[in-house]
Amino acid sequence: MPKPRRSRTVQPPARAAALPRHGGLAVPWITGWFDGRPYFGVNFPVRRSQAVTYRLCQFCRQPLGRRIGLVVRPADTSAGYVDEPGMHPECLDYAVAVCPMLNGAMDHYRSGPPATVAGLLASTPARAGKPAEAYEAWFITPSGYEIAYAADGMVLGIRLDVPVLMKRPVRAAAHPRLTDEHAALLRQVLALESSPEGLTTP
Ligand SMILES: [Zn+2]
């Protein structure tokens, strides 16, 4: 008896074809690598800042277009800016489809990479281990794209007190789009990453 096909595999958008793959998933340009392995959810600080400043997509690194997607949490709304750079709508859709934090497959942030990795990437994830928050996708236009700066001139992120074309809940809406195959794959990848060998924690 032929095995029923469970669901289609999510493919990255064509513009992201050149991105490296890890475990079958396209690795976002902004994602930090250590020891030949990507750490999903841990961003290269320099790339984050570059993307925000030069209006690049954090996923595929190409210039953002007429519609700019932002992934926004309640804490970001309170802060008035989102520290994660923007994405093309199609890149955002792919990220939501395959990222367990964005699509609700995971309900807690994972513990985060070892301190050495976090230190190297200069990004200590304050969210590690905490319950996942609600995520929304906001879409803005280039004229509404404004950078939030700290008093010392450091790039904080993209301002949220601007005209927003559309807001859409991503965790609830995206959940059915994650294939069983991807969910299993991601669990495997994340489990592997939670106890990397050859790394020492000071
Ligand atoms: Zn993109």
Side-chain angles (χ1 to χ4, degrees):
M1 191 164 60
K3 206 176 168 184
R5 207 180 146 80
R6 275 181 165 173
S7 47
R8 70 192 171 83
T9 304
V10 183
Q11 290 297 328
R15 64 166 72 247
L19 288 176
R21 303 291 181 104
H22 183 78
L25 301 172
V27 181
W29 171 66
I30 199 169
T31 295
W33 289 73
F34 183 75
D35 209 13
R37 175 188 297 166
Y39 282 81
F40 292 103
V42 179
N43 297 338
F44 270 126
V46 172
R47 290 185 177 178
R48 186 194 70 85
S49 174
Q50 281 178 344
V52 171
T53 303
Y54 300 108
R55 301 184 174 210
L56 306 176
C57 173
Q58 62 161 293
F59 186 79
C60 73
R61 192 182 179 257
Q62 292 170 29
L64 293 165
R66 291 162 56 84
R67 295 286 179 270
I68 299 163
L70 306 172
V71 175
V72 179
R73 299 165 305 133
D76 301 324
T77 318
S78 311
Y81 65 88
V82 58
D83 63 355
E84 294 257 340
M87 279 184 273
H88 297 104
E90 63 269 35
C91 292
L92 188 151
D93 281 345
Y94 175 76
V96 168
V98 302
C99 171
M101 281 313 302
L102 291 182
N103 60 40
M106 270 169 68
D107 54 10
H108 278 69
Y109 294 101
R110 66 190 174 97
S111 315
T116 41
V117 177
L120 279 170
L121 298 170
S123 169
T124 308
R127 302 163 197 166
K130 294 181 181 165
E133 297 158 279
Y135 288 88
E136 285 183 334
W138 289 20
F139 296 91
I140 62 171
T141 62
S143 62
Y145 190 104
E146 290 183 34
I147 299 173
Y149 294 98
D152 63 1
M154 193 183 76
V155 171
L156 292 174
I158 300 167
R159 293 176 64 128
L160 295 174
D161 53 346
V162 298
V164 178
L165 292 173
M166 186 178 73
K167 297 181 185 180
R168 169 182 105 197
V170 291
R171 282 180 64 98
H175 186 70
R177 298 185 56 176
L178 184 75
T179 64
D180 294 340
E181 186 188 346
H182 271 98
L185 198 62
L186 274 154
R187 267 184 223 110
Q188 204 179 2
V189 169
L190 294 169
L192 284 173
E193 287 183 358
S194 66
S195 57
E197 288 167 22
L199 292 169
T200 51
T201 305

